[in-house]
Every structure is written in structure tokens, then in C-alpha cells.
């Protein structure tokens, strides 16, 4: 088994242990450390820190050092340069919104735990052919939601492919996604919104995290 294939399986297992992974766009290391401390204290030891901000690599590095037991991943990894920056910073996994064969091939070559995004059967087949068995379903709700994901899963169920739906997932529909056996985890886009972080709504964020942990516990 190659390092990449092993990494896919390990990532799926790690995500399945958390079930809800907060998806964050952070502008400062201070904000990253503060919100990840909340996650750790409330029993949600994971986060996807997106490369939508310049601070992402530094945030990943500092959070990984401060919380070594946290499953810290990199999101919105769109090119080979950012793929390397993510893992050099200490990311334990990385995901992208779409399927870029160039990035996947580099991840395979380096043995990086990288999961591309898919929303069609063709993308599932192309990604699986390159060794990907842990995929991001994005944008989940806009692409058809639970019904679409179930339809995509059906022809590939026997292959053991796992998914992380992200994009439009909320407390109102997360349970519907988590009830699907092939879903390892959902991306918690509602946890730690940039506007709430900027406004310093830490009490509200903490309460949302508590509810997310309670929800996740129902599907472990």
C-alpha cells in the first residue's frame, strides 16, 4: 500500500472520529489560537484552516504546535505550491473545492493526505483512479444536497469511497449528511464564521461548538 493510499484511509478514520470539522478563514494567528482553544476545550479536536487568507500557513503552524493532538487540516488548496506550504506548516490533511489532477498527482508522489473536491460521478472516477478514496463533496447543498450525494455514492459504494460534504451544511441539515454511512465527517462552515470572529463573538461561537459536539456524538 502506497503512503498516499494509506494516508487516505488514515484521514477518513481521523475525520470519522470527529464527525464535524470546523472550516475557517482566519486573518491572524491570535484568532486561530483562540478559536482552536475553544474547539479543544469543548471536545472538538479538529479544524480545516483554509488558504483563503495570507495568514493560513502561519496559523496552521502555530495551531499545530500549540495543539499537537488536534487534527489540523488545510483547505482551499488549489495548487502545488500551496499543497507543499500546507504540509510544511504541519497540516495533517488537506482538501480542495475541486478536482485538479496536477495537485492530486503531486500529493500522490509526496504521500500527502490530500482529498480533492467532487460533485459529479466523473470526478469521483477520475479521483479514484489516481488513488483517492477520501473525497470532499462540494458545494454540498448547491450541488444537490443529501439526495445528490446519495445518488453519487450508489455506483461506488463497493469501492469503499468516503466523503466529507462541505458548503451549505448547517445544524439544520448536518444530521441528514452524517446519517449516510459513507460520510466520514461534514465540514462545519457555520462554526467560526469570519464575521463572528471579527466581532469577537466568542461566547456565541463557544455555544455553537457545544451544540456541534452534541450533534456529532449522536453519530459516533
Amino acid at each position: 500500500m502506497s503512503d498516499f493510499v494509506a494516508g487516505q484511509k488514515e484521514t477518513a478514520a481521523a475525520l470519522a472520529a470527529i464527525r464535524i470539522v470546523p472550516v475557517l478563514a482566519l486573518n491572524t494567528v491570535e484568532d486561530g489560537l483562540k478559536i482552536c482553544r475553544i474547539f479543544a476545550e469543548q471536545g472538538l479536536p479538529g479544524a480545516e484552516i483554509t488558504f483563503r487568507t495570507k495568514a493560513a500557513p502561519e496559523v496552521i503552524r502555530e495551531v499545530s504546535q500549540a495543539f499537537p493532538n488536534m487534527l489540523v487540516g488545510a483547505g482551499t488548496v488549489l495548487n502545488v505550491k500551496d499543497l507543499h506550504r500546507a504540509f510544511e506548516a504541519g497540516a495533517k490533511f488537506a482538501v480542495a473545492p475541486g478536482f485538479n489532477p496536477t495537485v492530486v498527482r503531486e500529493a500522490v508522489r509526496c504521500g500527502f493526505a490530500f482529498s480533492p473536491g467532487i460533485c459529479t460521478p466523473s470526478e469521483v472516477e477520475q479521483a479514484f483512479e489516481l488513488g483517492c478514496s477520501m473525497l470532499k463533496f462540494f458545494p454540498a447543498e448547491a450541488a444537490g444536497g443529501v439526495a445528490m450525494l446519495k445518488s453519487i455514492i450508489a455506483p461506488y459504494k463497493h469501492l469503499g469511497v468516503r466523503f466529507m460534504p462541505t458548503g451549505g451544511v448547517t445544524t439544520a441539515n448536518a444530521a441528514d449528511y452524517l446519517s449516510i454511512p459513507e460520510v466520514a465527517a461534514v465540514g462545519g462552515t457555520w462554526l467560526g464564521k469570519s464575521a463572528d470572529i471579527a466581532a469577537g463573538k466568542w461566547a456565541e461561537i463557544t455555544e455553537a461548538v457545544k451544540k456541534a459536539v452534541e450533534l456529532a456524538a449522536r453519530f459516533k
Side-chain angles (χ1 to χ4, degrees):
M1 182 182 295
S2 70
D3 290 343
F4 179 77
V5 172
Q8 290 274 299
K9 295 183 181 300
E10 290 171 4
T11 298
L15 291 171
I18 297 173
R19 300 297 271 158
I20 297 177
V21 181
V23 179
L24 309 169
L26 299 162
N27 291 305
T28 68
V29 170
E30 181 182 6
D31 285 343
L33 291 171
K34 194 160 188 174
I35 195 166
C36 285
R37 184 171 299 281
I38 291 173
F39 296 154
E41 291 176 346
Q42 298 303 322
L44 187 58
E48 175 191 324
I49 298 169
T50 66
F51 269 63
R52 297 184 184 185
T53 68
K54 293 181 179 179
E58 187 179 1
V59 173
I60 290 172
R61 182 176 294 106
E62 295 299 322
V63 168
S64 296
Q65 292 176 357
F67 306 98
N69 295 322
M70 180 172 283
L71 183 69
V72 179
T76 322
V77 175
L78 307 179
N79 52 62
V80 168
K81 179 181 177 181
D82 283 346
L83 178 73
H84 281 277
R85 291 171 71 203
F87 285 93
E88 287 167 3
K92 294 178 180 175
F93 72 96
V95 297
F99 170 66
N100 183 332
T102 299
V103 178
V104 174
R105 289 191 181 98
E106 180 66 5
V108 172
R109 187 184 73 82
C110 297
F112 291 153
F114 175 74
S115 296
I118 63 89
C119 65
T120 68
S122 295
E123 291 167 330
V124 173
E125 292 184 21
Q126 292 174 72
F128 187 79
E129 185 175 359
L130 292 178
C132 300
S133 60
M134 178 65 224
L135 304 170
K136 179 173 182 173
F137 176 54
F138 180 87
E141 281 295 285
V146 170
M148 180 63 172
L149 180 55
K150 286 182 176 179
S151 294
I152 287 177
I153 289 171
Y156 310 111
K157 188 176 295 189
H158 64 290
L159 299 178
V161 182
R162 305 293 297 280
F163 298 84
M164 181 168 73
T166 306
V169 179
T170 67
T171 52
N173 60 23
D176 295 330
Y177 284 103
L178 291 171
S179 65
I180 301 172
E182 290 75 22
V183 168
V186 298
T189 52
W190 75 94
L191 295 168
K193 293 181 179 179
S194 297
D196 291 341
I197 293 173
K201 296 183 178 180
W202 302 111
E204 290 88 340
I205 291 173
T206 300
E207 188 59 31
V209 173
K210 286 181 179 178
K211 291 180 179 179
V213 171
E214 293 173 358
L215 175 60
R218 291 166 45 195
F219 295 93
K220 291 183 179 179

